[in-house]
């Protein structure tokens, strides 16, 4: 048995909460790992540093060409985090938030979104983080110039936007994710299957083993059962 007090003392309560919620669904056992805790701690610091780069850094956009992409991604995240929380799929909500951070990182690095829009995006993001990392959520909300509490804000509602054109598909072997593949959201099974078999990592794992069947869930997973 791992005493979470040690984790909280060394990394903070948010890191412990984030790791516990991201590891597995509530109905399964939780396996404590040093790498998992370290990864959760790095994620929290990454979120904070990205926000600081926009708010107090010398961020100046080169253009605003990706605002539509970021808007769609934020709305997509609101829809899915809300749905997954209601279904007690907390680990899926965490995965949705990871994806949004990757989008934030991309547009900040390329400076393709205005500072004003990024701040509004981070405000929405800070509220979405509230059930998972409340301390980080409140510090972000305060750092973004608010005098109120994030926990008292209404839960975000998505705007009506067009369907996302690209999605991340988890490529799995016997139910365990081995690779993330970026593809068009409307891709069919017979289109993605040859792409999966061309991935070197997947080729090595399959080797000369027999493929019993494949399972494709659009926009989510492609699972190979050996």
């Amino acid at each position: 048995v791992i005493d979470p007090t040690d984790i909280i003392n060394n990394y903070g309560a948010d890191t412990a909460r984030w790791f516990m919620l991201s590891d597995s669904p509530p109905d399964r056992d939780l396996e404590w790992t040093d790498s998992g805790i370290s990864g959760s701690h790095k994620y929290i610091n990454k979120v904070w540093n990205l926000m600081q780069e926009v708010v107090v850094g010398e961020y100046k956009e080169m253009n605003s060409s990706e605002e539509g992409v970021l808007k769609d991604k934020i709305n997509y995240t609101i829809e899915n985090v809300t749905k997954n929380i209601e279904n007690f799929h907390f680990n899926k909500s965490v995965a949705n938030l990871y994806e949004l951070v990757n989008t934030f990182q991309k547009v900040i690095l390329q400076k393709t979104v205005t500072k004003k829009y990024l701040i509004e995006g981070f405000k929405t993001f800070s509220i979405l983080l509230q059930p998972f990392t409340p301390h980080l959520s409140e510090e972000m909300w305060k750092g973004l110039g608010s005098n109120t509490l994030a926990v008292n804000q209404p839960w975000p509602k998505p705007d009506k936007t067009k369907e996302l054109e690209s999605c991340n598909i988890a490529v799995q072997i016997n139910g365990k994710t081995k690779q993330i593949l970026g593809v068009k959201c409307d891709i069919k099974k017979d289109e993605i299957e040859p792409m999966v078999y061309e991935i070197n990592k997947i080729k090595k794992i399959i080797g000369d083993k027999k493929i019993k069947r494949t399972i494709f869930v659009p926009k989510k997973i492609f699972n190979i059962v050996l």
Side-chain angles (χ1 to χ4, degrees):
V1 176
I2 302 296
D3 186 354
T5 304
D6 295 333
I7 305 296
I8 293 171
N9 289 338
N10 292 327
Y11 295 100
D14 274 358
T15 296
R17 288 170 61 94
W18 185 259
F19 173 70
M20 291 169 67
L21 293 169
S22 66
D23 183 76
S24 59
D27 57 341
R28 296 186 185 179
D29 290 337
L30 174 70
E31 182 179 351
W32 286 93
T33 63
D34 291 338
S35 60
I37 291 294
S38 178
S40 297
H41 190 60
K42 287 179 181 177
Y43 169 83
I44 288 174
N45 284 321
K46 179 180 179 178
V47 170
W48 178 255
N49 290 334
L50 284 173
M51 189 206 76
Q52 291 289 95
E53 186 174 341
V54 173
V55 176
V56 299
E58 295 182 358
Y59 177 88
K60 185 171 178 59
E61 67 274 6
M62 296 177 65
N63 57 68
S64 58
S65 60
E66 297 290 317
E67 278 194 8
V69 174
L70 180 58
K71 180 181 180 181
D72 289 342
K73 189 64 177 179
I74 290 173
N75 284 299
Y76 174 82
T77 304
I78 293 171
E79 288 180 357
N80 284 275
V81 168
T82 304
K83 178 182 68 177
N84 288 323
I85 287 176
E86 290 172 348
N87 292 327
F88 300 100
H89 296 160
F90 304 126
N91 57 320
K92 293 182 180 180
S93 293
V94 167
N96 298 143
L97 293 168
Y98 266 117
E99 291 181 14
L100 180 56
V101 170
N102 290 336
T103 303
F104 274 128
Q105 186 177 32
K106 176 186 173 183
V107 298
I108 290 173
L109 182 65
Q110 297 176 349
K111 300 185 184 300
T112 50
V113 173
T114 62
K115 181 172 182 175
K116 179 180 179 181
Y117 192 80
L118 273 173
I119 289 176
E120 290 303 312
F122 271 111
K123 283 185 176 180
T124 299
F125 182 43
S126 67
I127 298 173
L128 292 175
L129 282 172
Q130 180 66 213
F132 307 94
T133 54
H135 301 287
L136 174 64
S137 170
E138 293 297 349
E139 289 298 323
M140 286 178 64
W141 187 252
K142 181 180 177 181
L144 291 163
S146 300
N147 296 320
T148 55
L149 293 174
V151 72
N152 292 332
Q153 306 310 307
W155 188 254
K157 292 183 179 180
D159 297 327
K160 290 184 178 180
T161 57
K162 64 180 181 180
E163 190 77 14
L164 284 180
E165 295 180 359
S166 61
C167 297
N168 290 325
I169 303 291
V171 179
Q172 300 180 338
I173 302 288
N174 293 336
K176 294 185 178 179
T177 301
K178 302 298 182 181
Q179 185 89 11
I180 301 295
L181 193 62
V183 296
K184 291 183 178 180
C185 288
D186 60 355
I187 195 168
K188 303 294 189 296
K189 183 179 181 181
D190 59 351
E191 295 173 324
I192 192 174
E193 193 159 9
M195 296 169 61
V196 169
Y197 294 140
E198 285 301 313
I199 301 173
N200 289 329
K201 185 176 182 180
I202 302 302
K203 282 183 181 178
K204 291 179 181 178
I205 296 174
I206 294 176
D208 57 359
K209 299 182 181 72
K210 182 180 178 181
I211 297 175
K212 293 176 65 177
R213 62 192 174 110
T214 56
I215 302 167
F216 177 56
V217 180
K219 302 181 184 180
K220 294 184 179 179
I221 66 166
F222 185 93
N223 182 30
I224 301 169
V225 182
L226 300 179

